[in-house]
Amino acid sequence: MSETLLVLPALLLAGFGLAILLRRPAGAVGGPGFVERNGAVIAAYLVVAVGFWVLLMIVLPQLYMVDFSFRNNLPLPKQGGPEDVHTLKNYRYLLFGPEGSDQAFNWLHLKVFAKTIVASVLVTFFDFCLCYPIAYYIAQVARGGSSRLLFVCLLIPFWVNEILRAFAFRIIFGTSGVLNTVLIGMGILPPDAPIDFLRADVALYAGLSYAYVLMMVFPLYNAIESLDHNQIEAARDLGSPWWRIHWRVVMPHAKPGIASGCVMVFMLAAGALATPQILGGPSSLWFTQVIYDQFFQGANWPRGSAYAFVLLVSSIIFVMSAMRLFKVNLGDIAR
Amino acid sequence: MSANVELDHVTIRFADFTAVDDAHLRIEEGEFFSFLGPSGCGKTTILRTISGFLEPTEGSVRIGGRDMAGVGPNKRPTALIFQNLALFPLMSVADNIAFGLEVRGASRADRRRRADELLSLIALPNHGDKMVSALSGGQKQRVAIARALAVEPEVLLLDEPLSALDLRLRQHMRTELRTIQRRVGITFIYITHDQGEALTMSDRVAVMSNGVIQQVGSGPEVYNNPATAFVASFVGENNAFFGKVARAENGHAMLETSFGPLRGRNPKGLKPGEEAILFVRPEGLLLGAGNDANQFESEILANELEGSMVHVRLAGATPKAITVSLTNDGSAVAARPGARLKASFDPDRATILPKGPLADE
Ligand SMILES: Nc1ncnc2c1ncn2[C@@H]1O[C@H](COP(=O)(O)OP(=O)(O)OP(=O)(O)O)[C@@H](O)[C@H]1O
Ligand SMILES: [Mg+2]
């Protein structure tokens, strides 16, 4: 019963959202409307198809999860019974832990949560530092053939699936892995004291950064590519050193691309599961792993939902405030 | 401060394509110097070499006597104005102008003051806080000039800066550019494929074709005494008569053409038997037989009135018509299409040059 009650406003909301989304650009440009541009049949098809997709694949499951997160974890027979009421206890659990515990807060989970956010920011930052020069090179420096070749070099590793790639990183970063062997062979490390990159989470950060390189390179490339090369030369001709050209000319131009790359990488890193599972040190946890455990180890779907929802909302808030700080609009990113 | 620019046997190659072939010239301090030539002849390549974006394959560039080999564009005393201006669209007009000063570490107040000075120089006071996109084409043009002047270059390089403007604005900006150049007194090196632009603005012009500098000289020199067939046909209207030199004496020569023998000056000292082209300007031709028999006969194709001038087109040896331009004093009224008539010219107003490629129309 309550589900149908929820679905109705959701349907309405999605409909309105869709209507606004579709109207905006046409209204702003002042050109022909959406229906005139596409014809009635195609327009109707687009509205229905997109609406259906958005509703069924995105809005409904998420709303269901949200509803779930406010419920008690009840066995099947008791569902719909007198105990099946809305409650905040799943959220309370994330903050304060089990009732009657000796700690004021649920430090264990909160720390994992904070670490996930901070580490995702680091991964995003690292990816940006890694990808910006590559994107700049491909977009502005390399000529025809060699830029295509570089793209292929970037793409091919991503034909290998995520899990295999993560295991490859284990092989590279393990105590007896490639990196340690090389370092020991070069005499930089003593043979009896290899560095445990896995325990130090180096492997994890490297793996995550690597996993989302493309998500960063493509938006950066798109943004930088659209910059008129003459502007770079003009800045140089006026005496600018290379770093100031990037700071004052290239980066301001590429800001929407930078923002969209960073948002994408941050969101994906914060929500990653397989890579942290495989590359995380024995004592380190990613928040998604905590969520996973709630669902499948603890069999506590309401609490898992609550955790997932918290991760989603706080990521969005974080991204929005970062965007406000750097004065980027949501519209710019979509461009 | 102003500086001279010397190109010392500069050759620039891209792979095995020679874009500039052995350019050798000296541009004086404070001169307004133009490179004139058709599209693709290597003008931009020369300019990019002077500004430091390209290194010459052979030869060297000297600015103010200093060899520029290995000196990057950001270290040369030059400023370049790009064909598409390349203003920074995300900065205000004042920030654009002051960018070069920002690079040099000038304080915010200094930058603002200097930007305001330059804005009044280009007659755009109070436009400093606008965004570049809010300016008109001509205003952007002037901002680009101000931005380049802000770094106090010794040489200003301009790559067809007026080509994007409409005709009226272009003519207005010509005089404006010249005025600005006189006021700041620095060397201007100007590139254009528009001969009117080059002739009206410049102290001297270098005419280029296919990477080769054909002639360097003042406007009247280039117009009245072209050095090659290309220059004669590219700068201004000209009528060409092909033939073989029959006689040569006293700086004059007689050319045997399909219209009969025609005489003209022989500045290159051509010998009898050599292939040559006789050039005579439309305003150098007269209708009717002259008194010294330097004349030819042809059919009238058209009679076009253009206000103060009348252009009579005569059938030539090539598909291109021979043009006779007369002041509109009624003498051309009788020239009806279809009729045949005689035209003549003073041999001193015709130039005979060695046969060579012409500028294609
Ligand atoms: N980087 C390059 N690599 C190869 N060829 C080039 C390069 N730059 C220019 N060229 C060639 O050199 C020749 C001269 O080019 P340039 O740009 O100097 O011509 P231009 O006189 O400025 O012509 P326009 O009036 O059209 O601007 C052209 O044939 C061009 O194709
Ligand atoms: Mg050019």
Side-chain angles (χ1 to χ4, degrees):
Chain A
M1 184 59 215
S2 65
E3 266 104 67
T4 29
L5 275 180
L6 246 163
V7 165
L8 221 70
L11 263 166
L12 276 173
L13 231 123
F16 279 130
L18 209 67
I20 292 169
L21 261 176
L22 292 175
R23 274 189 43 167
R24 261 281 190 62
V29 177
F34 177 73
V35 176
E36 284 92 275
R37 263 185 294 137
N38 298 301
V41 178
I42 294 182
Y45 170 75
L46 282 174
V47 169
V48 170
V50 173
F52 193 71
W53 182 66
V54 168
L55 244 157
L56 209 71
M57 308 295 278
I58 302 171
V59 177
L60 281 184
Q62 294 295 340
L63 283 176
Y64 199 79
M65 288 278 292
V66 173
D67 177 58
F68 226 85
S69 74
F70 288 103
R71 290 182 181 276
N72 286 309
N73 190 23
L74 296 174
L76 209 53
K78 287 196 181 172
Q79 281 181 17
E83 286 168 73
D84 196 356
V85 289
H86 284 108
T87 167
L88 282 173
K89 77 177 213 192
N90 298 313
Y91 293 93
R92 203 182 303 126
Y93 189 91
L94 172 60
L95 282 177
F96 305 112
E99 265 164 81
S101 86
D102 50 352
Q103 280 182 319
F105 291 98
N106 186 0
W107 286 124
L108 180 67
H109 289 174
L110 286 177
K111 264 187 194 157
V112 173
F113 178 75
K115 191 194 125 177
T116 302
I117 298 289
V118 171
S120 300
V121 171
L122 285 179
V123 165
T124 307
F125 180 73
F126 180 75
D127 256 0
F128 173 71
C129 295
L130 182 76
C131 295
Y132 180 84
I134 298 176
Y136 178 80
Y137 184 83
I138 300 177
Q140 291 285 347
V141 184
R143 298 259 157 259
S146 67
S147 72
R148 268 195 297 277
L149 186 75
L150 264 165
F151 259 132
V152 171
C153 291
L154 276 174
L155 269 172
I156 285 181
F158 290 87
W159 294 354
V160 179
N161 82 49
E162 192 187 350
I163 297 184
L164 228 64
R165 243 183 296 130
F167 273 110
F169 268 69
R170 269 193 95 101
I171 295 170
I172 296 172
F173 286 106
T175 340
S176 53
V178 178
L179 192 60
N180 270 312
T181 316
V182 169
L183 287 176
I184 291 169
M186 280 163 54
I188 295 171
L189 286 180
D192 52 343
I195 300 176
D196 192 344
F197 293 108
L198 288 172
R199 188 176 295 277
D201 278 343
V202 172
L204 173 60
Y205 297 152
L208 278 175
S209 303
Y210 185 68
Y212 306 121
V213 156
L214 288 187
M215 300 297 160
M216 187 62 97
V217 164
F218 278 113
L220 284 182
Y221 168 81
N222 269 333
I224 298 176
E225 205 261 340
S226 66
L227 176 66
D228 173 15
H229 192 73
N230 282 344
Q231 288 197 15
I232 297 169
E233 293 199 334
R236 201 158 129 69
D237 188 60
L238 291 167
S240 183
W242 63 268
W243 58 266
R244 195 189 287 274
I245 296 177
H246 286 283
W247 182 243
R248 289 287 275 144
V249 179
V250 186
M251 284 194 193
H253 176 88
K255 204 157 87 172
I258 296 174
S260 90
C262 288
V263 167
M264 205 116 79
V265 171
F266 173 79
M267 287 295 202
L268 287 172
L273 181 62
T275 311
Q277 198 93 284
I278 298 167
L279 289 175
S283 60
S284 82
L285 267 182
W286 211 247
F287 196 66
T288 46
Q289 286 170 283
V290 176
I291 298 172
Y292 183 89
D293 286 350
Q294 299 301 336
F295 276 100
F296 295 106
Q297 311 270 298
N300 192 340
W301 282 45
R303 193 187 288 162
S305 304
Y307 276 34
F309 190 56
V310 166
L311 181 64
L312 176 69
V313 169
S314 41
S315 298
I316 291 176
I317 291 173
F318 182 82
V319 162
M320 291 300 202
S321 26
M323 279 181 5
R324 167 145 303 184
L325 189 67
F326 292 108
K327 301 199 178 71
V328 201
N329 309 330
L330 208 56
D332 292 339
I333 290 187
R335 229 186 359 205
Chain B
M1 252 283 273
S2 171
N4 60 24
V5 176
E6 289 165 279
L7 301 182
D8 190 356
H9 294 289
V10 168
T11 295
I12 302 150
R13 285 194 199 96
F14 299 109
D16 49 5
F17 173 76
T18 306
V20 174
D21 193 1
D22 197 34
H24 187 72
L25 54 87
R26 180 189 161 99
I27 299 163
E28 300 301 334
E29 292 167 40
E31 192 176 15
F32 197 122
F33 190 94
S34 293
F35 284 95
L36 171 66
S39 183
C41 71
K43 306 181 297 288
T44 299
T45 307
I46 286 202
L47 211 66
R48 289 173 62 80
T49 310
I50 298 174
S51 59
F53 288 108
L54 285 173
E55 286 286 338
T57 319
E58 280 163 32
S60 60
V61 176
R62 281 191 297 277
I63 300 178
R66 203 155 66 90
D67 191 345
M68 286 289 132
V71 182
N74 50 345
K75 299 270 189 269
R76 295 194 182 192
T78 57
L80 178 59
I81 294 175
F82 289 78
Q83 203 157 349
N84 67 353
L85 305 186
L87 292 172
F88 306 125
L90 299 176
M91 298 183 201
S92 71
V93 168
D95 282 352
N96 259 283
I97 295 177
F99 183 78
L101 304 172
E102 179 189 327
V103 168
R104 285 157 179 77
S107 73
R108 188 179 288 273
D110 277 352
R111 290 190 328 238
R112 188 67 218 203
R113 195 176 40 73
R114 186 81 183 113
D116 285 340
E117 276 172 28
L118 284 160
L119 280 167
S120 51
L121 175 80
I122 57 169
L124 284 178
N126 308 323
H127 283 64
D129 292 323
K130 287 192 179 172
M131 290 312 272
V132 170
S133 53
L135 300 180
S136 73
Q139 290 173 331
K140 282 184 192 155
Q141 190 66 62
R142 284 181 271 172
V143 170
I145 294 168
R147 184 179 70 174
L149 290 177
V151 301
E152 299 185 347
E154 294 169 15
V155 180
L156 192 66
L157 308 166
L158 305 101
D159 189 353
E160 307 205 29
L162 306 185
S163 57
L165 306 182
D166 62 54
L167 186 65
R168 283 179 62 86
L169 197 50
R170 201 152 66 215
Q171 279 163 347
H172 172 72
M173 285 305 297
R174 279 182 199 174
T175 39
E176 192 135 330
L177 264 179
R178 194 66 229 225
T179 318
I180 290 174
Q181 195 258 345
R182 292 222 178 84
R183 213 175 310 164
V184 296
I186 61 174
T187 314
F188 271 41
I189 301 181
Y190 191 90
I191 275 190
T192 180
H193 59 253
D194 178 334
Q195 38 159 318
E197 222 165 88
L199 296 180
T200 50
M201 289 197 291
S202 335
D203 296 315
R204 282 193 304 155
V205 181
V207 184
M208 289 184 72
S209 161
N210 289 329
V212 178
I213 294 181
Q214 303 273 326
Q215 184 174 8
V216 180
S218 69
E221 262 167 43
V222 170
Y223 188 83
N224 296 326
N225 301 310
T228 66
F230 177 84
V231 176
S233 57
F234 185 72
V235 180
E237 278 279 299
N238 229 334
N239 298 305
F241 296 87
F242 298 82
K244 242 190 192 108
V245 178
R247 274 207 326 270
E249 78 249 322
N250 302 336
H252 280 68
M254 198 185 79
L255 205 62
E256 202 55 60
T257 72
S258 53
F259 288 94
L262 292 175
R263 285 182 295 127
R265 295 183 301 114
N266 182 13
K268 297 280 157 188
L270 295 173
K271 304 255 164 5
E274 283 185 272
E275 298 260 18
I277 309 172
L278 180 142
F279 290 98
V280 56
R281 300 267 176 205
E283 66 271 22
L285 284 172
L286 301 165
L287 292 187
N291 35 23
D292 65 351
N294 199 26
Q295 56 177 290
F296 61 92
E297 195 183 286
S298 184
E299 183 193 336
I300 301 173
L301 297 177
N303 185 340
E304 296 161 4
L305 174 69
E306 186 211 303
S308 60
M309 298 295 280
V310 180
H311 305 290
V312 179
R313 314 274 182 208
L314 305 176
T318 58
K320 190 175 173 266
I322 298 166
T323 303
V324 184
S325 294
L326 306 162
T327 46
N328 187 9
D329 56 2
S331 60
V333 178
R336 301 214 178 285
R340 290 184 74 81
L341 58 55
K342 284 201 163 69
S344 61
F345 55 92
D346 177 356
D348 282 334
R349 299 195 68 176
T351 310
I352 297 178
L353 292 167
K355 190 171 179 183
L358 302 185
D360 33 59
E361 305 295 308

